[in-house]
Amino acid sequence: MSKRKARDAHLPIGECITQVQQILRERFCERLLPDRPEGVEAQYKHLLELLRRTAIHGESNSVLIVGPRGAGKTMLLQCVLRDLQKEEKVQKNLLQVHLSGLLQTDDRTALKEITRQLHLENVVGDKVFGSFAENLAFLLEALKKGNRSSSCPVLFVLDEFDLFAHHKNQTLLYNLFDVSQSAQAPIAVVGVTCRLDVLELLEKRVKSRFSHRQIHLLSSLNFTQYLERVWTQLSLLDSFPDKKFAQEWNAGVKTLCEDKSVEEVLQRHFNSSKDFRSLHMLLMLCLSRVSVAKPTIKPADLLEASRMCFADATANMLHGLSILELCLVIAIKHLNDVYEGEPFNLQMVHNEFKKFLHRKSNSMYNFEQPVVMKAFEHLQQLELIRPVDGSSAKVQREYQLMRLTLDHSQIMDALQKYPQCPTDVKQWAMSAFG
Amino acid sequence: MKILACLHYFILEGLVQCLELKIWSLQGCCHYPSILIYGHRASGKSHVMHVLMKELELPHATVSCVECVSIALLFEQVLLSFFGCDAASLLPRSPSLSDFVRVYRQQCSQSPAKQTRYIVSAVGDNVTVILLSEIAWDKFRPNTGCFEPLLLHFPDYSKSELQQILSQNVHSSYSAGFYSAYINILLGVFYSVCRDLRELRHLAALNFSKFCEPLAEGKVKETDTHKLWKHIEPHLKKAMQTVYLREVSRSELFKEAGALRGLSAHTHVELPYYSKFLLIAAYLASYNPARTDKRFFLKHHGKIRKTNFLKKNEKTSNHLLGPKPFPLDRLLAIFYSVVDSRVALTASIFSQISSLVTLQLLAQVSHDDQLDAPKYKCAVSLDFICAISRTVNFDIVKYLYDFL
């Protein structure tokens, strides 16, 4: 009851908190585009200029945007498109076709998608075309304006460009680039990809038609710029309704960024990856701990979020194994040590386990073969052990060869953290040979 | 706030202390486009997700990847949950991912969503995908990378937490203290083998009536834990071998009090006399290397050169590596030396071999085309073959190379 009363008194703060969370969430979940993309001014101008020339002057162009995952390629493209649409001439003329390598796995589906996005299904109707090139030419012809002098410029955006290069004969790419080189119709082809060696994937004839224009988004931040970015991502703008709260919040963020332990944590993140996405993930986890009772982000939150980001998933799973399964993992580890990583099967593991039991004369873990089999299968289900590629059909289950997917150090770490591990099991694990 | 309502619900289930932190962070992170929640079986993942979705009244679709064997089923279910069945019928026969996205976008434009839609386990835009898995994310990551999901770990329950949760299901006619003593005993037996909440619950429900028997008969009092433990212990041990392995169903457990065995002990399979010897011969052929046949099965084998018989290390023990295939001729040769009486090589012998194959005691290794030299493998365990050879008074251990 008293909690509810306290909540009523704080309702303005509760509102503020919800608003803050909403704004920051949109920023981190990449729903909202920033006004200007940070740190990529030159690339932004370049791309904008290029697309404007296609849209207004009817010049054909092709360009590739290359950068690692999470570097902001799609964001850059969306910003450019949004700013381009503000001009009236572009809005009326430019047609856009968005294709994705993940969705359109085949050239035929890609062509159907193009037809659909250009709203030309009625025009195509039931026509059958001899080749891809004819089809594409027909589509572009159909876009010509009334006086047949020129056709509308079309912008093709190809996401996951490298996947298109895996299609048969690369027909789509060949034809698109061909059209962009010839004077048929003004099109712009923008490819977005994360592979730096994408040009190696293209065939010779496709590569020669490509203009070799690439925009690289390799972030060259140093640590101080990274810290600044953290600050800008977390702070509230002046447009926030409650001025006093915004000031307090920004002050809190400032003290947070100047804290020593926070700097260390951010340095660690910076060393592993500099891109936006991992930063957003970290800040998202911090944000989830903000509540009415605690309206600012404290250094402890950041530390906890960082710990969650860097947690080893396998160690977490090992923590939850039962004792029998843990003993089997230790037996497998010993087998690997003795036989230097050769594959094993259930019989060998059980044998090793029985040797341990004989030595310790401990009848507590004396389980029957089927129970041990069930534990072994559970390990297989968690993919801690995997069958060796080979004929698994004709071999009995107990004799199927497997490999361990864990590292020696992972097992030893997990043992340290395992709750209430019996001492003899621990000693067995640490002993050198069997 | 709605989160408090969620927590109230969980208090009833007795899960709060275990999951409170998880619920807070989950609720905060809900809007991130892709989340992977991983943890052991029955650690509460789907349960928490469903309750959260219901309480926060968010539009969501639940898809179970085990049930959807083809992608089409996955798409249908998602569309059905969000937009109703007319949308689902718009999908062509064998839809690809792009068809699904197209139909989804169509529907989206007709009924725009203010809130994010959640698909518990699938794909989309302005949609959050929440994946629940037992396996860690590292196994799933594709080669060129992808949008990394937010990883949330659901930790497993500790022994005390398990005890707390299981004690909630107390029966009306017994006291809470009595039931938690029972749970304590049960956990003591099963905890080192299994930590899955669902299995433990099943076992608890199953064995409780047996546990209460002496109480009902009036022999012991509620507080006499030692006597109760002595009574229930053999039953729990038996349960470990049968019900835990799901070899015996619940009703069968209650039927026969006496001789209840799991299916793995099928020593009650009755074979004719010669079939038993054929099986013994097959076992010897599988687990003895061919060069040792002379030593075991010939009356006068001459001197054995010691140098050829290297000290076998454990690894190459055939009992660890599995049975090896052998040709039919070798089987018959061993069979004739093992059987004492004279046997004529008639068709009945061959038909017994094929019936052994049908019973899956022998496995045929060669292709069906090779009729003149079929190869077989023996598929029985050592215990089984020892039991069989005892019934015909044959000492098989003497003839096995691994036990020399």
Side-chain angles (χ1 to χ4, degrees):
Chain A
M1 263 323 260
S2 58
K3 225 189 235 181
R4 204 169 290 205
K5 275 199 184 150
R7 264 192 302 122
D8 283 334
H10 281 165
L11 201 47
I13 295 254
E15 266 296 310
C16 288
I17 294 282
T18 344
Q19 286 239 349
V20 168
Q21 282 194 334
Q22 202 167 342
I23 293 178
L24 289 182
R25 227 177 256 160
E26 280 180 350
R27 237 185 246 171
F28 298 153
C29 298
E30 298 169 14
R31 300 281 156 78
L32 201 64
L33 290 176
D35 289 330
R36 292 291 272 208
E38 301 175 2
V40 287
E41 300 294 320
Q43 289 99 327
Y44 175 79
K45 281 204 192 79
H46 187 181
L47 192 59
L48 188 62
E49 207 33 56
L50 208 67
L51 292 183
R52 186 183 280 142
R53 286 213 298 268
T54 305
I56 299 182
H57 303 292
E59 190 184 291
S60 286
N61 278 317
S62 53
V63 66
L64 271 183
I65 307 180
V66 179
R69 294 246 174 228
K73 308 183 286 290
T74 323
M75 186 190 69
L76 175 70
L77 188 60
Q78 298 291 340
C79 280
V80 167
L81 286 178
R82 180 194 60 190
D83 291 337
L84 208 58
Q85 297 280 33
K86 288 187 189 147
E87 298 186 29
E88 214 193 290
K89 232 179 148 193
V90 174
Q91 218 175 24
K92 272 194 293 189
N93 278 350
L94 187 69
L95 295 168
Q96 293 184 27
V97 174
H98 290 264
L99 299 176
S100 165
L102 291 172
L103 296 180
Q104 276 87 41
T105 47
D106 193 6
D107 282 336
R108 220 156 12 105
T109 32
L111 198 56
K112 271 201 219 131
E113 189 64 25
I114 295 176
T115 323
R116 209 171 281 134
Q117 290 195 14
L118 291 175
H119 305 292
L120 289 176
E121 289 110 319
N122 299 332
V123 181
V124 170
D126 285 326
K127 282 210 176 65
V128 174
F129 292 103
S131 75
F132 193 97
E134 277 178 40
N135 201 346
L136 195 60
F138 179 78
L139 287 176
L140 293 173
E141 184 77 17
L143 291 174
K144 279 204 166 115
K145 286 198 284 208
N147 57 1
R148 302 233 157 225
S149 58
S150 60
S151 63
C152 293
V154 186
L155 169 66
F156 287 91
V157 174
L158 300 173
D159 257 331
E160 312 287 340
F161 185 77
D162 42 301
L163 292 177
F164 281 108
H166 289 298
H167 291 179
K168 182 160 175 283
N169 287 344
Q170 299 180 354
T171 29
L172 178 70
L173 295 181
Y174 175 70
N175 284 298
L176 281 179
F177 287 141
D178 199 27
V179 171
S180 77
Q181 292 289 63
S182 61
Q184 272 177 332
I187 68 168
V189 182
V190 179
V192 179
T193 176
C194 67
R195 288 182 66 158
L196 293 178
D197 62 341
V198 64
L199 283 186
E200 311 293 321
L201 294 173
L202 296 179
E203 276 180 26
K204 185 166 154 298
R205 58 181 184 147
V206 179
K207 208 195 289 193
S208 60
R209 283 173 172 75
F210 174 53
S211 67
H212 284 93
R213 214 178 266 127
Q214 292 187 31
I215 297 181
H216 288 279
L217 284 178
L218 305 168
S219 65
S220 53
L221 291 177
N222 57 17
F223 187 55
T224 24
Q225 285 172 334
Y226 187 75
L227 278 181
E228 272 204 31
R229 186 182 281 181
V230 172
W231 191 79
T232 30
Q233 290 285 324
L234 277 179
S235 52
L236 293 173
L237 302 170
D238 290 334
S239 53
F240 194 73
D242 189 345
K243 290 272 188 272
K244 186 164 157 298
F245 182 79
Q247 272 176 1
E248 278 176 14
W249 174 268
N250 286 347
V253 170
K254 196 85 188 169
T255 35
L256 181 77
C257 289
E258 284 161 5
D259 189 285
K260 271 286 167 237
S261 56
V262 167
E263 251 192 64
E264 273 175 29
V265 167
L266 289 176
Q267 176 83 47
R268 198 167 164 216
H269 272 269
F270 177 69
N271 287 339
S272 46
S273 78
K274 294 190 210 171
D275 56 305
F276 279 107
R277 239 173 237 166
S278 45
L279 182 62
H280 284 168
M281 208 191 297
L282 179 67
L283 294 177
M284 186 80 193
L285 285 171
C286 288
L287 187 65
S288 65
R289 305 170 85 82
V290 170
S291 65
V292 172
K294 192 174 69 70
T296 47
I297 300 186
K298 298 260 181 326
D301 295 335
L302 201 65
L303 288 169
E304 178 66 27
S306 162
R307 196 190 58 82
M308 272 173 72
C309 276
F310 282 129
D312 184 10
T314 333
N316 286 336
M317 296 305 279
L318 279 176
H319 190 265
L321 289 181
S322 68
I323 299 207
L324 177 62
E325 287 155 5
L326 189 69
C327 288
L328 288 182
V329 169
I330 297 175
I332 296 173
K333 177 183 95 77
H334 281 303
L335 276 177
N336 274 348
D337 286 337
V338 172
Y339 296 115
E340 279 159 25
E342 287 203 21
F344 53 86
N345 59 29
L346 172 65
Q347 286 290 110
M348 294 187 209
V349 176
H350 196 186
N351 203 27
E352 190 74 29
F353 183 47
K354 277 199 270 220
K355 283 199 306 190
F356 163 65
L357 291 180
H358 278 320
R359 269 209 316 275
K360 298 293 168 183
S361 64
N362 195 345
S363 63
M364 215 171 64
Y365 302 133
N366 214 346
F367 296 113
E368 305 269 314
Q369 168 95 344
V371 179
V372 174
M373 179 93 206
K374 184 160 177 174
F376 198 71
E377 278 176 352
H378 186 215
L379 287 178
Q380 196 178 346
Q381 209 181 1
L382 292 175
E383 294 224 358
L384 294 174
I385 52 181
R386 282 170 77 163
V388 165
D389 312 315
S391 67
S392 53
K394 296 250 167 91
V395 182
Q396 280 173 286
R397 271 184 325 176
E398 295 99 46
Y399 296 111
Q400 194 171 357
L401 290 173
M402 310 266 188
R403 276 194 204 278
L404 188 66
T405 57
L406 296 174
D407 202 27
H408 183 99
S409 49
Q410 273 176 318
I411 303 178
M412 300 315 280
D413 280 337
L415 266 178
Q416 300 298 330
K417 298 198 195 114
Y418 194 79
Q420 298 162 344
C421 183
T423 29
D424 45 1
V425 172
K426 245 194 214 171
Q427 276 175 350
W428 177 38
M430 315 262 201
S431 65
F433 280 102
Chain B
M1 247 175 53
K2 293 218 174 112
I3 281 299
L4 285 177
C6 257
L7 287 179
H8 278 299
Y9 180 80
F10 282 126
I11 288 172
L12 294 175
E13 301 254 323
L15 293 172
V16 181
Q17 308 88 306
C18 323
L19 297 173
E20 190 170 344
L21 192 61
K22 282 299 140 199
I23 298 175
W24 276 109
S25 46
L26 191 56
Q27 184 260 337
C29 297
C30 258
H31 297 266
Y32 200 74
S34 163
I35 304 180
L36 175 79
I37 303 177
Y38 67 101
H40 278 276
R41 276 191 304 218
S43 50
K45 306 186 288 286
S46 349
H47 188 63
V48 169
M49 274 323 304
H50 281 171
V51 172
L52 259 186
M53 291 290 146
K54 235 177 27 176
E55 292 293 325
L56 298 177
E57 283 166 23
L58 300 163
H60 66 281
T62 317
V63 171
S64 156
C65 285
V66 175
E67 285 175 3
C68 296
V69 286
S70 78
I71 301 196
L73 290 172
L74 189 88
F75 295 154
E76 256 188 63
Q77 278 211 349
V78 176
L79 285 177
L80 199 71
S81 315
F82 281 147
F83 302 117
C85 36
D86 4 302
S89 54
L90 283 177
L91 277 179
R93 269 201 118 210
S94 46
S96 65
L97 192 56
S98 99
D99 290 324
F100 169 66
V101 173
R102 175 177 52 91
V103 174
Y104 183 82
R105 282 210 180 114
Q106 250 179 353
Q107 296 294 324
C108 257
S109 54
Q110 286 171 9
S111 51
K114 288 270 168 47
Q115 300 164 311
T116 35
R117 293 197 160 96
Y118 294 84
I119 299 187
V120 187
S121 180
V123 64
D125 66 327
N126 199 20
V127 167
T128 296
V129 180
I130 303 184
L131 307 163
L132 301 170
S133 149
E134 224 177 40
I135 309 178
W137 171 245
D138 304 327
K139 316 276 179 200
F140 287 127
R141 197 181 279 142
N143 273 339
T144 48
C146 62
F147 191 94
E148 296 275 337
L150 199 63
L151 299 177
L152 290 175
H153 172 63
F154 263 63
D156 43 287
Y157 299 119
S158 71
K159 192 166 180 184
S160 44
E161 284 171 353
L162 275 178
Q163 173 135 6
Q164 223 174 6
I165 296 171
L166 286 172
S167 308
Q168 299 281 336
N169 301 338
V170 63
H171 214 253
S172 49
S173 39
Y174 298 99
S175 68
F178 177 67
Y179 195 75
S180 43
Y182 164 63
I183 294 291
N184 215 2
I185 295 177
L186 188 81
L187 277 182
V189 174
F190 283 103
Y191 187 65
S192 49
V193 173
C194 155
R195 293 204 180 164
D196 192 356
L197 184 60
R198 268 181 239 146
E199 295 224 21
L200 287 173
R201 224 178 241 171
H202 179 68
L203 287 166
L206 216 51
N207 292 312
F208 188 56
S209 46
K210 261 273 152 38
F211 187 70
C212 300
E213 258 179 21
L215 206 68
E217 289 165 10
K219 279 194 234 165
V220 288
K221 297 194 301 289
E222 273 201 8
T223 45
D224 239 339
T225 34
H226 187 66
K227 285 206 190 119
L228 287 167
W229 155 247
K230 270 175 59 175
H231 175 81
I232 194 75
E233 189 194 355
H235 289 284
L236 286 181
K237 287 256 181 316
K238 203 166 28 146
M240 167 108 70
Q241 280 154 23
T242 50
V243 179
Y244 175 61
L245 299 170
R246 303 293 167 118
E247 283 179 357
V248 174
S249 74
R250 180 188 178 138
S251 43
E252 272 186 39
L253 186 66
F254 289 138
K255 249 192 280 177
E256 290 276 308
L260 186 66
R261 290 179 302 255
L263 291 171
S264 42
H266 48 266
T267 46
H268 52 274
V269 167
E270 272 304 318
L271 291 173
Y273 187 69
Y274 285 155
S275 289
K276 288 188 191 164
F277 276 106
L278 276 170
L279 194 60
I280 292 172
Y283 190 84
L284 290 171
S286 280
Y287 285 98
N288 281 347
R291 57 193 161 93
T292 55
D293 281 349
K294 216 168 68 156
R295 177 199 162 129
F296 287 117
F297 302 115
L298 280 187
K299 293 265 188 296
H300 309 286
H301 53 234
K303 276 208 271 210
I304 306 292
R305 305 179 109 242
K306 269 281 159 103
T307 48
N308 279 346
F309 275 53
L310 298 169
K311 183 94 169 66
K312 49 186 185 344
N313 54 350
E314 258 171 28
K315 179 156 192 251
T316 57
S317 159
N318 286 325
H319 279 85
L320 293 183
L321 289 176
K324 304 248 170 18
F326 54 85
L328 181 63
D329 300 339
R330 188 167 164 224
L331 171 67
L332 289 175
I334 298 181
F335 173 65
Y336 276 117
S337 77
V338 158
V339 160
D340 11 350
S341 53
R342 289 193 62 91
V343 186
L345 191 63
T346 58
S348 62
I349 300 287
F350 290 116
S351 66
Q352 287 186 21
I353 295 181
S354 354
S355 58
L356 281 178
V357 173
T358 329
L359 283 174
Q360 292 188 347
L361 297 170
L362 287 187
Q364 184 157 5
V365 176
S366 65
H367 205 57
D368 280 330
D369 295 349
Q370 293 168 326
L371 284 177
D372 53 348
K375 283 192 170 181
Y376 299 96
K377 242 198 300 203
C378 187
V380 298
S381 63
L382 183 61
D383 303 324
F384 185 70
I385 204 76
C386 284
I388 293 235
S389 46
R390 235 176 289 132
T391 63
V392 289
N393 283 332
F394 182 78
D395 185 10
I396 192 167
V397 178
K398 227 175 23 168
Y399 286 85
L400 280 172
Y401 178 61
D402 289 327
F403 295 113
L404 265 185

